[in-house]
Amino acid sequence: MSLALDLALCALITGVALATVAGGGIFRAIIFFITYGLFVAIGWARLGAFDVALAEAAIGAGLTGVLLLAAHGRLRRMRTKAVAGNTGLNLPAALAGAAVAGALGWAWFALPAPSVPDLSQAMTDSGVGNPVTAVLLNFRAWDTLLESIVLLAALLGVWMLARDEDWNTPLGPRYHALSGGVLVSFGRLLPPVGLVFGAYLVWAGAESIGGAFQGGTVLAAVGLVALMANVLPAPQISQSGLRVALVLGPGVFLGAGLVAAALGGEFLSIAPDVAKAVIVTIEIALSMSIAVTLALLVIGPPVDAEGRP
């Protein structure tokens, strides 16, 4: 039964992937792409990588889907040729995808199996029970800190696309235009559930499935739905609370590293007796920054009254 389920899942992932890159029509490709993200998330869950499955569902089928749908709607309003035409097969993309899949398949069977070191003592010293959180916030904390800074830098790069005179205008008015009766009801019901679930993912990430990235992504998706349903007002770059939330995660992370260095240790070295408390504090701060940054990346740069960036 398990083998049949896995084979069926592989067939669905392959079929949806082919429909995404080889089918005609942009809107159809977007819908298949979102479906592909959901099936891949199920595949990761079948492999036991539940943290990756949560991230794939939230990013691949959630935020990226919203971004692509908004881009498609804007292209239709602009009456571009890309939407009016382009109904044939995208053969180059299909061939490129098949080549990548073939190379990955060859690597899986040809390369030797990696050795797994014994991390039992290291996990004890890390202060947390979730090995993913231990790696991200303790064993390779430098990489995670830089990744949070790069995410913020990406948002600043998107904002630089705006004209100077538009920096004081609200963000995301084109998302308000997507609201409707069903979406408004959904936008009022989802935020309380999403807030609880996102907070749980952050808190549980220290010992089990979850973490700052998964929880922050859920919170970002909830915020976008509330924005699209006109439940939340459009944010502005000049809002002080927004700016504090953006730098809170990297700031707390950097501060923890400096405190560790000032106490006689190495930068970002956390003592085992306080490791869990420090990691949970960093995770909470990072989740807030990740949620705000991802939502603002999807919203895009400030626009003028006519929706032009």
Side-chain angles (χ1 to χ4, degrees):
M1 183 63 182
S2 178
L3 179 60
L5 176 61
D6 291 338
L7 291 176
L9 182 60
C10 290
L12 286 172
I13 292 175
T14 303
V16 173
L18 290 175
T20 302
V21 300
I26 295 179
F27 182 76
R28 177 183 176 184
I30 293 174
I31 297 302
F32 276 120
F33 177 83
I34 296 173
T35 307
Y36 173 80
L38 292 174
F39 282 136
V40 170
I42 297 174
W44 282 117
R46 287 289 299 165
L47 293 173
F50 298 104
D51 291 275
V52 181
L54 284 172
E56 175 62 34
I59 295 293
L63 292 181
T64 306
V66 172
L67 179 63
L68 293 176
L69 288 173
H72 177 263
R74 186 174 181 185
L75 287 174
R76 290 188 61 184
R77 291 192 298 270
M78 295 173 61
R79 300 180 183 276
T80 60
K81 296 181 180 179
V83 177
N86 192 23
T87 58
L89 295 178
N90 195 342
L91 187 59
L95 292 177
V100 172
L104 292 176
W106 172 85
W108 173 264
F109 291 103
L111 297 179
S115 59
V116 180
D118 184 10
L119 298 178
S120 56
Q121 182 59 42
M123 286 297 301
T124 302
D125 296 337
S126 70
V128 293
N130 186 356
V132 176
T133 302
V135 170
L136 295 179
L137 273 300
N138 202 320
F139 303 154
R140 54 173 291 254
W142 261 104
D143 293 340
T144 307
L145 172 61
L146 293 178
E147 287 168 1
S148 66
I149 296 175
V150 167
L151 190 63
L152 178 59
L155 176 62
L156 296 178
V158 170
W159 281 353
M160 291 302 294
L161 298 176
R163 302 181 303 176
D164 292 342
E165 56 267 27
D166 296 331
W167 271 70
N168 291 323
T169 60
L171 296 170
R174 55 187 178 273
Y175 288 91
H176 279 155
L178 299 177
S179 62
V182 176
L183 184 57
V184 170
S185 300
F186 189 61
R188 294 183 184 277
L189 293 174
L190 180 63
V193 179
L195 285 173
V196 173
F197 184 57
Y200 169 76
L201 286 177
V202 177
W203 179 257
E207 298 297 332
S208 60
I209 302 167
F213 190 81
Q214 291 85 350
T217 306
V218 171
L219 295 176
V222 169
L224 286 171
V225 171
L227 176 65
M228 294 167 64
N230 281 324
V231 176
L232 290 179
Q236 289 184 302
I237 296 178
S238 58
Q239 292 176 333
S240 58
L242 193 68
R243 297 185 177 186
V244 170
L246 288 174
V247 301
L248 181 63
V252 171
F253 208 155
L254 183 61
L258 293 175
V259 169
L263 293 177
E266 298 180 357
F267 181 67
L268 289 178
S269 62
I270 306 176
D273 54 340
V274 297
K276 183 172 183 178
V278 173
I279 288 176
V280 171
T281 302
I282 295 174
E283 287 266 272
I284 293 174
L286 279 178
S287 65
M288 296 179 63
S289 295
I290 290 171
V292 176
T293 305
L294 290 179
L296 294 179
L297 280 172
V298 174
I299 290 173
V303 296
D304 58 15
E306 297 181 0
R308 295 175 301 185

